[in-house]
Amino acid sequence: MNLEIVNCTPYTDQKPGTSGLRKSVKQFQRPDYLQTYIQAIFNTLEDREGSTLILGGDGRYFNREAIQIILRMASANGIGHVFVGKAGILSTPAASHLIRKKQALGGIILSASHNPGGPDGDFGVKFNVSNGGPASETFTDTVYQNACVVEQYRIRPIKPIPLDKEGVYDLFGMKIEVIDSVQDYMELMESIFDFDKIGQLLQSDSFKMRFDAMHAVTGPYAKRIFEQRLGAPEGTVFHAQPLANFGGGHPDPNQAHAKELMNQLYTNQGIAFGAASDGDGDRNMILGNHFFVTPSDSLAVLAANATLVPGYKQGIAGIARSMPTSQAPDLVAQKLGVPYFETPTGWKFFGNLLDAGQITLCGEESFGTSSNHIREKDGVWAVLFWLNLLAEKQDSVENIVRQHWAEYGRNYYSRHDYEAISSASGNIIMEHLRQQLATLAGTMIRGKMIRAADDFSYTDPVDGSVSEHQGIRILFEDGSRLIFRLSGTGTQGATLRVYLEQYEADVANHDQDTQEVLSDLIEIAEALGKVKELSGREAPDVIT
Ligand code: G16
């Protein structure tokens, strides 16, 4: 009854990348493009009958239409119960939490994360499984195989469900609950952090903070938590209104894209703490006054000080970082005597370690940090963690980081991105590097001895699964590293990322310019990768 079975032609380009299926909005608007992919997900979920799903997105262009289509398809595919964020809004971390809290079979999160939005921007669909984390490669491979052969999809031909107020609806036996997008997530944060202490800090006249929500999903979360619940003055959170095109901006919290925030922190306005989050709320950038904290250092500092936060006062079980992330967190783990892990890029690789209780904290150089409270990276969580440390230590961001370097040494670190080069150039550069791997170890280049070189492969310590070709690593005797990999989240051509890291133990040398310190490595990268010659680019597009 009221069920349509629609014949469709499968698309063969629906292979998910690092984080779900990301394509331009225009591609998603091709006939039945979203429908075939959603049907492929449902076909992969063999135990979906009567199950619970979480549904929401980052508010970008096409979010609302997509939610209506998915609700109608969910009902037609036997789903029993769907929780949807009000106005279709759910941050990725909030969705991860709800999946766990509601014991859902999984969640569909509509986001292309930090990629620009709007009719000419990008859209994306992620599926997270019952532990709250991104689906494994095995799952997404099956979705892809199903998408390549799907010839029919199931849908209910009904009018749109009102999403702008909380309420409960029945869709032919499927219950839909439109819920407050922020409340459950805020309660989780209250259970981890010392809200009284953070509140005192945010309400004191001597402390000023700015949070740039980049017209993306964290606006409502940050307003409710920092301003309304913790009492920070109104205006602390700016760009707070989620907009379908992110106000024309690029919702990526880094020095290049959060320009207004950088400007506020790097002029004399007396702002002690700055932070930003991305399109779907899982990334974070942390700033002190005139001071940028690299995401790798941020993870290391949080780990070293975790016991100051109520939720981690018992200590941490271990730390994991993605391979290109600097080795700063490893040094903390060694000192604490806890295990540490190096995983491929992509949050999904942390899931097993978190589920098995082998780690408590994890993070990536790509502005992602989180813990075992959910199975995603979490922007607002990272900001609250820093606020909790600042409230406990009564010190500045810069001093906290400098003291950390004094104790552990400084891992000078930078990432150079060559965006939207042709896929052919990207592959040629990687292949050119791959061909040199066998002969690099033991050679000296620009006065630096190469200890080892490989194409990173990871064997999951929990389930034994192997992930190969996860990036070219060139490791030097002095601990420096040079890494090349192609981004898995771009939608145009290829984006080449070159990651550079050099360790400096001596505190007398901790005040140097990062790019200068890394200049030898930058030259070596060019000598080995021939990036300029093979890509036709004179310089990186973005340096973080
Ligand atoms: C996604 C993943 C992250 C990963 C990042 C890397 O981030 O969730 O775990 O570090 O991609 O991106 P790339 O492959 O472009 O280097 P997000 O925030 O886009 O979901």
Side-chain angles (χ1 to χ4, degrees):
M1 203 186 42
N2 261 307
L3 176 73
E4 259 187 64
I5 298 180
V6 182
N7 292 328
C8 57
T9 311
Y11 291 90
T12 52
D13 66 345
Q14 296 190 324
K15 189 168 174 51
T18 312
S19 186
L21 183 70
R22 268 184 213 177
K23 299 280 176 194
S24 66
V25 166
K26 297 233 156 47
Q27 278 170 288
F28 264 102
Q29 288 173 328
R30 283 182 288 170
D32 296 331
Y33 193 85
L34 175 69
Q35 288 86 334
T36 55
Y37 189 67
I38 296 297
Q39 189 63 54
I41 293 177
F42 286 137
N43 291 350
T44 308
L45 294 170
E46 282 166 9
D47 46 352
R48 66 180 183 273
E49 192 66 39
S51 65
T52 298
L53 279 187
I54 306 301
L55 178 61
D58 63 11
R60 68 177 59 225
Y61 187 85
F62 198 51
N63 193 50
R64 282 174 177 266
E65 293 92 315
I67 284 184
Q68 296 294 347
I69 291 169
I70 294 168
L71 284 172
R72 290 156 55 202
M73 288 184 68
S75 167
N77 278 278
I79 303 297
H81 196 161
V82 181
F83 290 90
V84 196
K86 194 160 87 180
I89 292 284
L90 274 183
S91 75
T92 289
S96 179
H97 174 53
L98 281 168
I99 293 169
R100 296 164 69 78
K101 184 169 176 180
K102 306 289 186 195
Q103 296 179 339
L105 180 64
I108 297 177
I109 306 169
L110 304 173
S111 172
S113 187
H114 54 286
N115 295 21
D120 297 319
D122 290 338
F123 190 73
V125 179
K126 302 193 278 185
F127 188 77
N128 281 29
V129 292
S130 59
N131 74 349
S136 66
E137 284 191 333
T138 316
F139 185 96
T140 53
D141 284 348
T142 311
V143 173
Y144 174 53
Q145 283 155 21
N146 286 338
C148 288
V149 296
V150 66
E151 287 181 337
Q152 289 183 330
Y153 65 87
R154 300 162 72 86
I155 195 160
R156 302 271 190 206
I158 49 126
K159 285 200 290 219
I161 300 289
L163 292 176
D164 288 311
K165 60 175 189 335
E166 288 157 49
V168 182
Y169 305 91
D170 177 84
L171 204 59
F172 301 98
M174 183 181 87
K175 189 170 174 188
I176 299 176
E177 278 185 63
V178 181
I179 56 169
D180 180 327
S181 315
V182 179
Q183 188 61 32
D184 295 278
Y185 177 79
M186 186 164 77
E187 285 167 14
L188 177 65
M189 295 300 110
E190 283 170 336
S191 74
I192 298 173
F193 299 107
D194 189 334
F195 267 43
D196 290 341
K197 273 213 173 110
I198 298 173
Q200 281 164 24
L201 178 73
L202 287 174
Q203 290 164 38
S204 78
D205 292 337
S206 56
F207 184 86
K208 268 203 229 168
M209 161 184 172
R210 288 287 180 276
F211 180 93
D212 186 353
M214 305 190 93
H215 285 306
V217 79
T218 45
Y221 293 83
K223 275 259 163 209
R224 273 270 283 286
I225 296 174
F226 299 127
E227 293 187 5
Q228 289 158 24
R229 172 69 179 80
L230 291 164
E234 217 183 309
T236 296
V237 180
F238 66 102
H239 295 151
Q241 174 70 28
L243 296 175
N245 68 349
F246 307 116
H250 193 130
D252 200 358
N254 60 36
Q255 308 97 303
H257 295 301
K259 283 213 180 70
E260 197 173 323
L261 179 72
M262 291 297 291
N263 191 30
Q264 293 193 37
L265 270 290
Y266 280 77
T267 48
N268 293 325
Q269 301 180 27
I271 301 168
F273 181 62
S277 193
D278 69 330
D280 60 330
D282 54 4
R283 295 186 176 207
N284 74 90
M285 175 170 71
I286 300 295
L287 299 169
N289 191 282
H290 292 83
F291 194 82
F292 165 69
V293 186
T294 69
S296 305
D297 278 346
S298 179
L299 173 61
V301 169
L302 300 190
N305 295 288
T307 51
L308 295 177
V309 169
Y312 309 102
K313 67 170 186 288
Q314 313 293 355
I316 57 173
I319 309 174
R321 62 165 173 85
S322 68
M323 182 273 282
T325 304
S326 98
Q327 299 161 103
D330 304 5
L331 302 173
V332 176
Q334 284 162 8
K335 192 153 194 176
L336 293 175
V338 298
Y340 55 99
F341 300 86
E342 182 176 46
T343 61
T345 294
W347 206 263
K348 54 183 172 263
F349 294 102
F350 296 135
N352 279 347
L353 294 167
L354 289 162
D355 286 349
Q358 298 200 30
I359 57 169
T360 305
L361 296 181
C362 43
E364 299 185 278
E365 52 68 38
S366 54
F367 295 81
T369 336
S370 195
S371 84
N372 57 356
H373 66 292
I374 54 170
R375 295 293 179 273
E376 280 282 3
K377 52 189 188 275
D378 192 343
V380 169
W381 169 92
V383 177
L384 285 165
F385 204 134
W386 268 97
L387 284 169
N388 207 146
L389 294 189
L390 293 171
E392 282 293 340
K393 287 182 172 265
Q394 296 291 320
D395 207 343
S396 70
V397 172
E398 176 167 355
N399 280 345
I400 291 174
V401 176
R402 285 194 182 279
Q403 277 157 22
H404 185 92
W405 291 340
E407 188 173 347
Y408 294 92
R410 177 172 180 186
N411 296 71
Y412 281 97
Y413 184 85
S414 183
R415 185 176 103 183
H416 292 195
D417 293 338
Y418 297 81
E419 292 184 336
I421 59 174
S422 72
S423 299
S425 307
N427 290 331
I428 289 169
I429 294 168
M430 293 303 282
E431 202 38 53
H432 172 67
L433 285 159
R434 236 171 243 130
Q435 279 169 8
Q436 302 170 63
L437 288 177
T439 55
L440 283 179
T443 56
M444 190 78 133
I445 179 162
R446 303 279 196 282
K448 282 169 99 73
M449 175 62 87
I450 298 179
R451 178 174 66 76
D454 64 6
D455 191 350
F456 183 59
S457 167
Y458 176 69
T459 304
D460 186 300
V462 179
D463 66 16
S465 59
V466 177
S467 302
E468 292 179 311
H469 306 300
Q470 297 295 324
I472 303 288
R473 294 194 299 181
I474 297 164
L475 313 173
F476 297 85
E477 286 291 358
D478 65 359
S480 313
R481 300 190 315 158
L482 191 54
I483 289 146
F484 295 82
R485 68 175 274 280
L486 294 177
S487 156
T489 59
T491 56
Q492 282 167 29
T495 290
L496 177 74
R497 305 205 193 285
V498 183
Y499 309 82
L500 309 130
E501 176 185 2
Q502 181 154 319
Y503 180 70
E504 175 58 64
D506 187 351
V507 73
N509 297 327
H510 284 173
D511 224 358
Q512 301 174 66
D513 177 74
T514 299
Q515 301 304 320
E516 255 166 48
V517 171
L518 297 174
S519 59
D520 282 346
L521 279 174
I522 293 170
E523 278 182 27
I524 296 172
E526 186 49 36
L528 296 177
K530 289 205 169 72
V531 177
K532 286 184 190 155
E533 181 188 323
L534 297 174
S535 72
R537 295 283 171 85
E538 269 315 300
D541 301 280
V542 178
I543 295 182
T544 50

